[in-house]
Amino acid sequence: MTPKKYNFTVIKADKINFDVRTQMSEIFAEGFIQWLEYFSKDKDTIAKAFAHMFVLDQFYVAVLDNKIAAIAACTDCRTLAVRLDKKELRKHLGTLKVALPELF
């Protein structure tokens, strides 16, 4: 059996002409759900809560048929690749879950 060949295009996330945040956040949620289950066990909730955080000019994405297949951050260590917005997190996760980690 011959493996299927794929032709991915790798491009900076801020240069894509469609909304990449939703697809990026779905990949993020899939990869990090085991560490984020405190906030929610639902991957869709995690994806929606964290979709805002990506600093797009710090990310590259692999695209196949207008679908994001992979994401990678590439930063100079002076600029953050993600920025969390507490209001956005509270909107999706609730006030208590977002505030509790700050107490410790």
Side-chain angles (χ1 to χ4, degrees):
M1 176 184 246
T2 305
K4 186 174 180 179
K5 293 185 180 184
Y6 295 98
N7 290 321
F8 294 100
T9 301
V10 177
I11 187 167
K12 284 187 79 169
D14 65 339
K15 303 296 183 201
I16 294 186
N17 60 3
F18 60 87
D19 178 32
V20 295
R21 288 185 184 278
T22 300
Q23 291 181 46
M24 288 175 69
S25 65
E26 290 167 355
I27 292 168
F28 175 82
E30 180 74 31
F32 291 98
I33 189 70
Q34 67 192 55
W35 293 285
L36 298 171
E37 282 182 334
Y38 163 80
F39 297 106
S40 176
K41 293 186 185 333
D42 179 30
K43 281 187 236 177
D44 290 334
T45 299
I46 294 294
K48 289 175 187 172
F50 289 94
H52 74 278
M53 75 174 181
F54 303 104
V55 179
L56 295 181
D57 68 349
Q58 300 297 310
F59 278 86
Y60 286 85
V61 294
V63 181
L64 179 66
D65 298 328
N66 285 333
K67 183 160 172 57
I68 306 297
I71 63 175
C74 186
T75 180
D76 59 9
C77 296
R78 291 184 293 240
T79 305
L80 296 175
V82 297
R83 283 195 198 104
L84 293 173
D85 180 342
K86 289 181 186 178
K87 287 181 183 180
E88 194 67 23
L89 291 171
R90 284 186 191 113
K91 181 170 96 176
H92 297 284
L93 303 174
T95 302
L96 187 58
K97 292 243 176 157
V98 174
L100 274 179
E102 293 176 4
L103 299 175
F104 300 99

